[in-house]
Amino acid sequence: MTRWRFKRVDRLVGLSVLAAVGLTWFVLVGFDAFTIFVGELNDVGRGSYTLAKAASYTLLTVPRRLYEMFGYAALIGGLAGLGALAGTGELTALRAAGMSKLRICASVALTLVLLTALVVAIGETLAPLGEQSARALALSAKSKDVSLAKGGSIWARDGNTFVNAGSGRTRQTDDGEVVDLSRVRVFEFDDDGRLTTLSVAARAEHAAGQWTLYDLRRTVFAEASATSTQSAEMQWSSGLDPDVLALSIVNLDYLNLRDLGRNIAYLERNGQDSRNFREAYWARLFYPVNVLVLAFCALPFAFGALRSGGLAKRLFIGIVLSIGFFFLQRAAVNLGAVYGLPPALANMIPPALLIALAFAWFRRFA
């Protein structure tokens, strides 16, 4: 009998939280997608970019937005779900029946764990695929000289020169934004369509208004021979627009763990700086931990407010905690970069601090 009672309690709390999280999630993702769609309307008419393509672009990015917004939805929805139980007196009845705050929070966490597992699967599959397809759609419509191939590689044209890059990234320096292309191949053709030169470089960099190829092997084809030369770096006279190329580069936060790991291995194998990729890798790895810790640890702080406050107060609590945790996490990662802390440790500090704070609150008010 006791065992069945606990199952019914879990179902009661879980369904309440599930409904609140679902509604919050829908509103946040819908508002975010609508905002992006309105922004895309400014590009309608550019090239072959139509209203239908703007809508398709927005829809393709929805899986990624579902992934990004779930943390906020889980936190606000968890508070709203408990608030709904408090408003009907069910939360008070559960407490009067001897159910502890920790046990109620555990019922909420059980629901959120299942949802988080689903969201992580979306973030590793549908989100990167949708983001890549969206960018490929937008680029092919807006620019005839740059496109994305399957797997995320970049193809660009500069007159009779065709450029292929395995991947790319942008980074900020004191001199401005730098565009980095990795695993670069440059095909140069004559007016008759014959290949005259093939250049293979470990990477290409656009900085200070010019392109530079690094670790270059250049092969020049004659009528009956081919001559190869190698150089550590070479200035590259190209009219490729770095701003357009930057649009084709998928944000590191949108890559899945496999692609991030592959890029880290490549950069480290070639003696290049992989810290940005390692930070993105560990941030993604800690994503489910951060979501569950933030949502679970926020619930005890809200119990007092849930009895006396309405939806506005619960939303305020959720927003404040979300913003506070976001800045704490950003500060920890940035300080880790400054002081040379491993990205794993820097990402571990915010949830550890939050757990300690929630534990102290439990001990004081449970």
Side-chain angles (χ1 to χ4, degrees), residues 3 46 66 102 114 117 157 162 187 226 239 244 250 270 291 346:
R3 190 176 179 184
R46 178 181 172 186
L66 287 170
L102 182 60
L114 297 177
R157 179 179 180 179
F162 292 82
F187 305 86
V244 175
V250 178
N270 289 275
V291 168

Side-chain angles (χ1 to χ4, degrees), residues 167-171 178-182 203-206 211 249:
S167 62
R169 62 170 176 164
T170 58
R171 53 188 173 88
V178 174
V179 176
D180 265 335
L181 303 178
S182 300
R203 67 187 183 96
E205 177 184 277
H206 185 275
W211 285 98
I249 296 172

